[in-house]
Amino acid sequence: QVQLVESGGGLVQAGGSLRLSCAVSGISFSRNAMGWYRQAPGKQRELVACISSGGSTNYVDSVKGRFTISRDNAKNTVYLQMNSLKPEDTAVYYCNVRVSPPSYSDSYWKTDFGFWGQGTQVTVSS
């Protein structure tokens, strides 16, 4: 049984930082790609960042230079370090594990493939 458990969300003031963690079990973590998504009220879910099995990363333009995705294969955990947070970053953040593609593809990461965590709320106050 594949399980993803997110943690690290919370309430923070604009300009602050949070680090999200997602612990994965029941699947070969190191062989798969990981993604962090978010969904704000009334908006569609969007990919925030992803990391391939080989460590290649991609970010949505709105978080480039502020967020960093990383993975620790020894701990079966993926992280999202979020700095300089803005009120527009407020959302429920979800982690996802899926087959690592040979190269980055927007269309691939827009699908519901793989397994999902339950989500963690991030609220940034102005």
Side-chain angles (χ1 to χ4, degrees):
Q1 182 181 359
V2 180
Q3 287 190 317
L4 294 83
V5 179
E6 299 108 333
S7 61
L11 173 64
V12 64
Q13 288 189 331
S17 297
L18 285 173
R19 188 175 83 152
L20 304 184
S21 300
C22 175
V24 182
S25 61
I27 198 169
S28 179
F29 179 81
S30 63
R31 296 182 179 182
N32 286 277
M34 298 297 303
W36 282 101
Y37 290 77
R38 67 186 178 188
Q39 187 166 21
K43 295 188 176 182
Q44 287 190 331
R45 185 185 65 201
E46 66 170 349
L47 176 69
V48 176
C50 59
I51 184 166
S52 72
S53 58
S56 298
T57 59
N58 282 275
Y59 300 90
V60 67
D61 286 346
S62 60
V63 308
K64 285 181 180 177
R66 300 189 297 123
F67 290 12
T68 302
I69 188 171
S70 61
R71 63 191 297 158
D72 185 336
N73 290 340
K75 296 182 178 180
N76 286 3
T77 300
V78 63
Y79 304 98
L80 186 68
Q81 178 67 43
M82 305 185 294
N83 298 329
S84 303
L85 282 160
K86 303 176 181 180
E88 51 264 43
D89 294 319
T90 295
V92 178
Y93 284 71
Y94 300 90
C95 70
N96 167 264
V97 60
R98 63 178 64 196
V99 173
S100 191
S103 60
Y104 178 76
S105 165
D106 268 349
S107 59
Y108 180 74
W109 285 99
K110 286 181 179 177
T111 66
D112 290 332
F113 292 164
F115 300 90
W116 297 82
Q118 81 287 352
T120 186
Q121 177 71 47
V122 171
T123 303
V124 184
S125 63
S126 57

